[in-house]
């Protein structure tokens, strides 16, 4: 969601580093942008709209902001609409303190009422603005900057990542609680604070991950981390394994298309060293100390929730009872956690606020927890008892593609590892080994553009599937609606006749995922006949084992493979359909409206 970047040690280049960092964070989703540079005074510039609007305004002003230290922000609106006034950074009335903030301050109205009663005038609708006013008030009371910052943090409740600068001070103060903030350690007295590593990856790959309740102080002389009481905390410096080049477009028109085409590489990375074909076993080092659970609960949101539904199918096939829960419901609902249960949080970023809350709730009930995530050092990975990394590499496009495929792959590894080998493991291992090549075949031979040519003028699209193909149908619909802005719905194929069939007409293309030639395939073909009888056009995504092609207007082919990997190939075809439709409609594919890459507020 919102993005934060701060830096020290760049002299006259501070503004450029901040603006470039904000540009790198554009994928998180935002509707305004701003910067604040601090030296003897404070220079704040902020504008509603995209980052280029802010850049143009700075150039039009004629005088570039200057200062020894600086912070920047891209805002995704929560409190108040996107306007210049609501854009970050926010300042106190004296113009001495500037603050950027991700998250939600839950007691902001109480604090605002207190401050207004003391005569403070607010200039925005945001919850964030209470922070600089509080900090300014503590400074007015004679406190030193770090003490005033700690006192400010003591007063606010909720989720936050905060970075602040003060006029006349050559340092940046940052703190986090339930919202990510990472410190970058560069060379020659250059240090950074950001909400995500890509913001400063051009400058350094050495990072320090902050934990909740910690404060970071950076200046040209170095960096320090303290706890809530101001006591020093020893922190480890980690090195990010991927480079800035990996976050570029590599000649593709959009990050999403690049990342769709990166799926063969991503899956090879995720499988590397984890398949033993000689013994017919899956070996995942991270899972060595995880026993076979009596039951499994998945908690996840959005695309990751669809991956969780796929995981439920796998565990049930292995004889382990499993359920998937929307994380936002699990955290506040009465779902019981058995003593011998495992709660798996599926989260690409490892920072999804709802999923973190659900995992913490499960831990509080005594459950063993596991994070299935892409980001080493993320909050979920650090807080859970175990972490299984999907290893897909950086994903910049807001609509998840290669991370979803990597999640499905990792879920196969998770089930096989905890089941200690099932009768069909050798066949599955062979299919997983071939999966990257099979996906490459889909990418090379797809007819997705022809399907888009046929149905670009339609306004509603349905996606159906059964068993492990049902989550893929849901994901196909989600991907379609996310980036095309057209209406799309996913259904369990058997549920069409229980209501949704009323919406089916000749103007409603139905994408049917039909793989194999078993009872599920035959029943899904029966559902295809139902929509065909209503004159709805049918697009079959199939491996050719059944006769569904007889009833389809278009066919998107996938290679024949294992029943558990076939839906993963179908998913790639549906990703391509969504991408090409959005491209045909001229949508902002990498930055769909109202959406954010990492949802760090509940």
């Amino acid at each position: 969601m919102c993005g934060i970047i701060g830096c020290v040690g760049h002299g006259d280049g501070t503004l450029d580093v901040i603006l470039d960092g904000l540009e790198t964070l554009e994928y998180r989703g935002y509707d305004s942008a701003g910067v604040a540079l601090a030296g003897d005074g404070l220079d704040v510039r902020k504008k509603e709209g995209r980052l280029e609007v802010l850049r143009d305004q700075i150039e039009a002003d004629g005088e570039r902001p200057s200062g020894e230290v600086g912070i920047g922000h891209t805002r995704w609106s929560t409190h108040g609409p996107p306007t210049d006034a609501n854009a970050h950074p926010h300042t106190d009335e004296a113009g001495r303190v500037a603050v950027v903030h991700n998250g939600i301050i839950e007691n902001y109205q109480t604090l605002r009422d207190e401050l207004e009663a003391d005569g403070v005038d607010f200039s925005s609708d945001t919850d964030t603005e209470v922070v600089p006013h509080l900090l300014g008030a503590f400074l007015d009371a004679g406190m030193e900057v770090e003490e005033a910052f700690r006192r400010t943090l003591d007063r606010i409740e909720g989720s936050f990542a905060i970075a602040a600068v003060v006029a006349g001070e050559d340092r940046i103060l940052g703190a986090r609680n339930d919202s990510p903030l990472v410190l970058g350690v560069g060379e020659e007295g250059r240090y950074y604070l950001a909400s995500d590593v890509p913001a400063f990856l051009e400058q350094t790959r050495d990072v320090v991950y902050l934990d909740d309740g910690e404060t970071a102080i950076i200046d040209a002389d170095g960096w320090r981390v303290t706890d809530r009481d101001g006591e020093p905390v020893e922190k480890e410096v980690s090195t990010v394994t991927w480079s800035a080049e990996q976050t570029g477009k590599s000649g593709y028109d959009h990050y999403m298309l690049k990342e769709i085409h990166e799926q063969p590489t991503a899956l090879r990375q995720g499988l590397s060293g984890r398949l033993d074909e000689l013994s017919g076993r899956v070996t995942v080092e991270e899972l060595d100390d995880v026993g076979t659970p009596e039951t499994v609960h998945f908690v996840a949101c959005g695309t990751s929730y669809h991956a969780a539904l796929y995981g439920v199918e796998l565990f049930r096939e292995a004889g382990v009872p499993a359920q998937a829960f929307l994380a936002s419901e699990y955290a506040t609902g009465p779902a019981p956690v058995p003593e011998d249960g495992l709660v798996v949080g599926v989260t690409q970023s490892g920072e999804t606020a709802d999923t973190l809350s659900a995992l913490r709730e499960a831990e509080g009930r005594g459950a063993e927890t596991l994070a299935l995530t892409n980001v080493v050092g993320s909050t979920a990975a650090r807080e859970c008892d175990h972490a299984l990394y999907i290893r897909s590499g950086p994903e910049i496009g807001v609509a998840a593609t290669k991370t979803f495929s990597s999640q499905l792959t990792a879920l196969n590894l998770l089930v096989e590892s905890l089941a200690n080998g099932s009768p069909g493991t050798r066949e599955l291992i062979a299919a997983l080994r071939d999966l990257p090549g099979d996906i490459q075949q889909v990418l090379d031979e797809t007819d997705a553009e022809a399907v888009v040519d046929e149905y670009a003028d339609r306004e509603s699209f349905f996606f159906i599937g059964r068993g492990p193909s049902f989550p893929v149908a849901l994901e196909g619909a989600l991907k379609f609606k996310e980036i095309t802005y057209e209406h799309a719905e996913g259904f369990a194929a058997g549920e069409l006749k229980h209501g949704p069939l009323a919406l089916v007409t000749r103007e409603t293309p139905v994408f049917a995922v039909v793989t194999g030639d078993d009872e599920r395939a035959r029943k899904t073909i029966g559902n295809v006949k139902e929509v065909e009888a209503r004159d709805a056009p049918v697009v079959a995504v199939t491996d050719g084992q059944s006769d569904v092609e007889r009833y389809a207007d278009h066919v998107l082919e996938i290679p024949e493979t294992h029943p558990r990997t076939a839906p993963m190939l179908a998913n790639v075809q549906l990703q391509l359909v969504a991408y090409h439709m959005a491209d045909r409609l001229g949508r902002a594919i990498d930055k769909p409206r109202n959406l954010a890459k990492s949802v760090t507020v509940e």
Side-chain angles (χ1 to χ4, degrees):
M1 300 181 77
C2 306
I4 288 174
I5 175 68
C7 74
V8 302
H10 280 270
D12 293 339
T14 300
L15 176 63
D16 292 327
V17 172
I18 292 173
L19 290 174
D20 290 346
L22 292 180
E23 184 173 349
T24 306
L25 292 175
E26 284 190 301
Y27 70 93
R28 293 174 67 93
Y30 72 104
D31 44 47
S32 61
V35 299
L37 273 68
D40 293 336
L42 200 61
D43 195 339
V44 177
R45 313 287 178 89
K46 53 185 186 176
K47 292 292 292 183
E48 173 192 353
R50 310 304 295 182
L51 182 61
E52 56 263 30
V53 177
L54 175 64
R55 287 185 183 271
D56 291 345
Q57 185 60 55
I58 289 173
E59 293 303 316
D61 289 344
E63 185 175 347
R64 288 163 58 88
S66 62
E68 296 299 315
V69 299
I71 53 177
H73 191 265
T74 50
R75 176 180 185 252
W76 189 82
S77 298
T78 55
H79 293 69
T83 63
D84 290 355
N86 288 334
H88 296 213
H90 290 288
T91 64
D92 64 337
E93 287 186 290
R96 176 180 44 175
V97 175
V99 168
V100 293
H101 161 237
N102 292 352
I104 294 177
I105 298 173
E106 295 173 357
N107 64 332
Y108 91 97
Q109 190 62 59
T110 299
L111 295 173
R112 181 166 180 150
D113 291 344
E114 290 179 9
L115 289 162
E116 288 180 330
D118 290 338
V120 174
D121 288 327
F122 280 73
S123 59
S124 78
D125 304 313
T126 69
D127 56 335
T128 302
E129 196 183 349
V130 299
V131 180
H133 290 307
L134 283 172
L135 182 52
F138 287 127
L139 291 173
D140 288 340
M143 294 183 190
E144 192 274 333
V145 171
E146 291 184 31
E147 181 185 1
F149 190 64
R150 287 195 299 272
R151 289 288 299 275
T152 299
L153 298 177
D154 287 342
R155 292 297 315 280
I156 61 179
E157 300 171 2
S159 64
F160 58 79
I162 291 173
V165 292
V166 179
E169 298 281 341
D170 61 356
R171 53 186 153 170
I172 301 175
L173 299 95
R176 66 157 287 171
N177 185 64
D178 291 343
S179 192
L181 193 66
V182 62
L183 189 156
V185 181
E187 298 177 350
E188 301 174 352
R190 294 175 175 177
Y191 302 96
Y192 312 87
L193 283 175
S195 50
D196 204 356
V197 171
F200 54 68
L201 198 56
E202 287 280 359
Q203 311 297 332
T204 182
R205 290 165 60 186
D206 292 334
V207 304
V208 176
Y209 295 101
L210 300 181
D211 291 308
D212 285 348
E214 292 180 342
T215 293
I217 303 97
I218 61 173
D219 58 32
D221 295 325
W223 60 274
R224 294 179 289 117
V225 177
T226 68
D227 63 17
R228 297 180 190 274
D229 298 321
E231 296 299 319
V233 177
E234 294 293 326
K235 301 293 290 185
E236 179 183 355
V237 178
S238 305
T239 300
V240 175
T241 57
W242 38 278
S243 66
E245 288 73 22
Q246 288 177 270
T247 63
K249 292 182 183 177
S250 302
Y252 289 91
D253 290 338
H254 299 93
Y255 285 113
M256 182 179 179
L257 185 60
K258 170 183 176 261
E259 287 154 4
I260 289 173
H261 281 265
E262 284 178 341
Q263 287 177 117
T265 299
L267 297 196
R268 288 190 185 97
Q269 292 171 173
L271 293 168
S272 178
R274 292 169 163 176
L275 300 179
D276 188 341
E277 294 188 66
L278 289 178
S279 67
R281 295 175 66 88
V282 168
T283 305
V284 182
E285 184 178 345
E286 297 102 305
L287 302 176
D288 285 347
D289 58 347
V290 185
T292 301
E294 293 293 325
T295 187
V296 175
H297 283 185
F298 287 96
V299 291
C301 307
T303 287
S304 293
Y305 176 69
H306 299 155
L309 290 172
Y310 175 85
V312 166
E313 287 284 334
L314 304 190
F315 268 108
R316 288 177 176 172
E317 285 181 10
V320 178
Q323 292 177 272
F325 297 86
L326 291 166
S328 56
E329 295 294 322
Y330 193 88
T332 56
V337 179
E339 274 188 31
D340 296 324
L342 177 68
V343 177
V344 180
V346 186
T347 162
Q348 183 276 134
S349 67
E351 304 291 351
T352 310
D354 287 319
T355 305
L356 290 174
S357 292
L359 288 167
R360 289 164 183 159
E361 180 67 22
E363 184 180 26
R365 299 177 193 169
E368 188 175 14
T369 57
L370 182 146
L372 193 147
T373 183
N374 192 36
V375 183
V376 177
S378 62
T379 301
R382 296 197 309 275
E383 291 189 1
C384 285
D385 299 313
H386 317 280
L388 174 57
Y389 296 108
I390 66 174
R391 301 179 181 171
S392 67
E395 185 177 72
I396 303 302
V398 167
T401 51
K402 67 176 181 177
T403 53
F404 179 66
S405 295
S406 295
Q407 286 172 339
L408 302 191
T409 303
L411 285 164
N412 276 286
L413 301 178
L414 177 66
V415 172
E416 292 303 311
S417 180
L418 299 191
N420 297 314
S422 59
T425 297
R426 286 186 181 275
E427 291 77 9
L428 176 63
I429 287 177
L432 290 172
R433 178 202 62 208
D434 294 340
L435 186 58
D438 289 342
I439 288 180
Q440 190 61 57
Q441 182 178 335
V442 172
L443 294 170
D444 292 341
E445 300 177 1
T446 182
D447 290 323
E449 285 192 79
V451 172
V452 167
D453 289 341
E454 182 71 21
Y455 301 118
D457 62 340
R458 307 302 168 92
E459 294 184 355
S460 190
F461 302 80
F462 287 174
F463 297 74
I464 61 173
R466 283 177 184 263
S469 293
F470 168 48
V472 167
L474 293 177
E475 176 62 13
L478 177 63
K479 210 58 49 197
F480 197 92
K481 70 181 74 172
E482 280 181 322
I483 63 170
T484 69
Y485 311 156
E486 301 297 322
H487 177 253
E489 294 293 338
F491 301 102
E495 285 298 298
L496 274 180
K497 56 185 174 292
H498 297 290
L501 202 58
L503 301 175
V504 172
T505 71
R506 68 180 61 217
E507 297 300 317
T508 313
V510 177
F511 290 80
V513 180
V514 184
T515 62
D517 190 24
D518 56 8
E519 184 180 7
R520 280 174 173 164
R522 290 189 289 274
K523 287 185 177 295
T524 307
I525 290 172
N527 303 127
V528 167
K529 292 177 182 177
E530 291 170 354
V531 300
E532 183 194 40
R534 275 77 180 174
D535 294 326
V538 174
V539 180
V541 186
T542 181
D543 54 11
Q545 294 191 65
S546 69
D547 63 349
V548 69
E549 296 181 19
R550 293 177 52 188
Y551 310 102
D553 298 275
H554 292 271
V555 174
L556 293 173
E557 296 181 354
I558 62 173
E560 187 175 334
T561 183
H562 192 280
R564 278 165 52 172
T565 52
M568 300 164 70
L569 300 178
N571 169 64
V572 177
Q573 289 282 23
L574 297 181
Q575 289 174 346
L576 290 164
V577 168
Y579 171 80
H580 289 298
M581 184 67 79
D583 192 41
R584 169 68 66 86
L585 296 174
R587 307 304 193 209
I589 291 174
D590 289 330
K591 305 167 190 174
R593 69 188 181 200
N594 302 331
L595 299 181
K597 182 65 176 172
S598 180
V599 184
T600 55
V601 296
E602 294 182 85

